[in-house]
Amino acid sequence: AQSVTQLDSQVPVFEEAPVELRCNYSSSVSVYLFWYVQYPNQGLQLLLKYLSGSTLVESINGFEAEFNKSQTSFHLRKPSVHISDTAEYFCAVSYTGGFKTIFGAGTRLFVKA
Amino acid sequence: NAGVTQTPKFQVLKTGQSMTLQCAQDMNHNSMYWYRQDPGMGLRLIYYSASEGTTDKGEVPNGYNVSRLNKREFSLRLESAAPSQTSVYFCASSSMGTTTYEQYFGPGTRLTVT
């Protein structure tokens, strides 16, 4: 069965430190990959996506993720986090020809002053 | 351009009561989805509609029904609410080619069943 695994349920980190949120998915020939962010009491918002082309994708607020086909991973990184980055982050994957998106269980990022 | 809207925002039901959650999108998207979000379990797909006129079961459809009223609107109905249906419900929409692209989410409905 298709699945997405987020390896950490919670990640506490100090402000201005780097962070990596890990995501692995079950293998397939062709995938689209996404990271969504959910701030408290809100719906999910798209943070960044990989559809094709360059394997390194970036968001407007300094996050980046790298598609690694051999490792079936799509880890999210930020070199220096801010308090405002505190939120829950969801990795998601769509498989070619499918109508559905599979979501991971989420990683709660908590940035401390 | 409101994106995806959901009503109501909050609801408390007693066991056995029924209700309909409403969702509408103004982005001319083909596909619409209903998810539930429970702590530690991420989002689980209840039902989806790949295009107007079609609906299909997702991962957790038991106890729910849906109606794709037109291209804009997709409602979720609980016929006889149970405490296990206490959750946050999200509607989403997306455009779609051969594969689903990114989804746009509504603000959610927080449902408590007592």
Side-chain angles (χ1 to χ4, degrees):
Chain A
Q2 299 159 348
S3 64
V4 176
T5 302
Q6 291 184 242
L7 296 158
D8 305 293
S9 59
Q10 295 187 68
V11 174
V13 63
F14 285 104
E15 193 174 21
E16 298 184 6
V19 71
E20 178 180 76
L21 307 184
R22 296 177 292 169
C23 173
N24 287 91
Y25 61 94
S26 53
S27 180
S28 180
V29 175
S30 182
V31 295
Y32 293 167
L33 295 160
F34 310 90
W35 277 98
Y36 290 85
V37 59
Q38 183 181 32
Y39 299 103
N41 299 315
Q42 294 186 25
L44 279 70
Q45 307 170 32
L46 181 69
L47 185 62
L48 49 74
K49 63 185 178 185
Y50 168 79
L51 302 182
S52 64
S54 172
T55 57
L56 185 66
V57 291
E58 299 177 354
S59 72
I60 59 172
N61 58 350
F63 283 93
E64 64 179 31
E66 186 160 20
F67 169 51
N68 187 322
K69 188 172 183 178
S70 62
Q71 304 279 337
T72 61
S73 68
F74 192 56
H75 301 330
L76 182 70
R77 302 182 183 94
K78 189 171 186 180
S80 177
V81 294
H82 302 289
I83 297 286
S84 60
D85 292 324
T86 293
E88 189 155 19
Y89 293 79
F90 292 91
C91 181
V93 59
S94 295
Y95 294 88
T96 300
F99 295 101
K100 296 180 283 186
T101 298
I102 311 298
F103 287 84
T107 297
R108 193 172 297 275
L109 176 64
F110 179 59
V111 181
K112 300 177 285 187
Chain B
N1 191 344
V4 179
T5 57
Q6 291 183 236
T7 56
K9 286 188 166 46
F10 301 94
Q11 184 71 49
V12 179
L13 292 178
K14 295 187 188 306
T15 297
Q17 288 184 319
S18 62
M19 77 163 296
T20 299
L21 283 65
Q22 306 287 353
C23 174
Q25 52 91 10
D26 61 3
M27 295 173 284
N28 201 36
H29 285 163
N30 293 325
S31 303
M32 298 185 74
Y33 310 82
W34 276 105
Y35 294 92
R36 60 178 289 172
Q37 183 179 29
D38 301 291
M41 303 190 74
L43 273 74
R44 292 184 291 169
L45 183 64
I46 304 171
Y47 271 92
Y48 67 101
S49 171
S51 61
E52 187 179 357
T54 68
T55 60
D56 285 285
K57 295 178 180 179
E59 183 184 354
V60 288
N62 290 344
Y64 306 95
N65 286 301
V66 291
S67 295
R68 183 75 183 265
L69 304 169
N70 48 54
K71 191 170 186 178
R72 289 187 63 248
E73 299 172 285
F74 188 40
S75 63
L76 177 72
R77 183 161 178 82
L78 286 70
E79 291 290 353
S80 178
S84 61
Q85 294 178 304
T86 293
S87 188
V88 182
Y89 291 85
F90 289 101
C91 177
S93 70
S94 70
S95 61
M96 192 177 66
T98 58
T99 303
T100 302
Y101 300 126
E102 67 265 29
Q103 297 186 15
Y104 295 80
F105 285 81
T109 295
R110 280 160 179 75
L111 175 66
T112 301
V113 183
T114 61

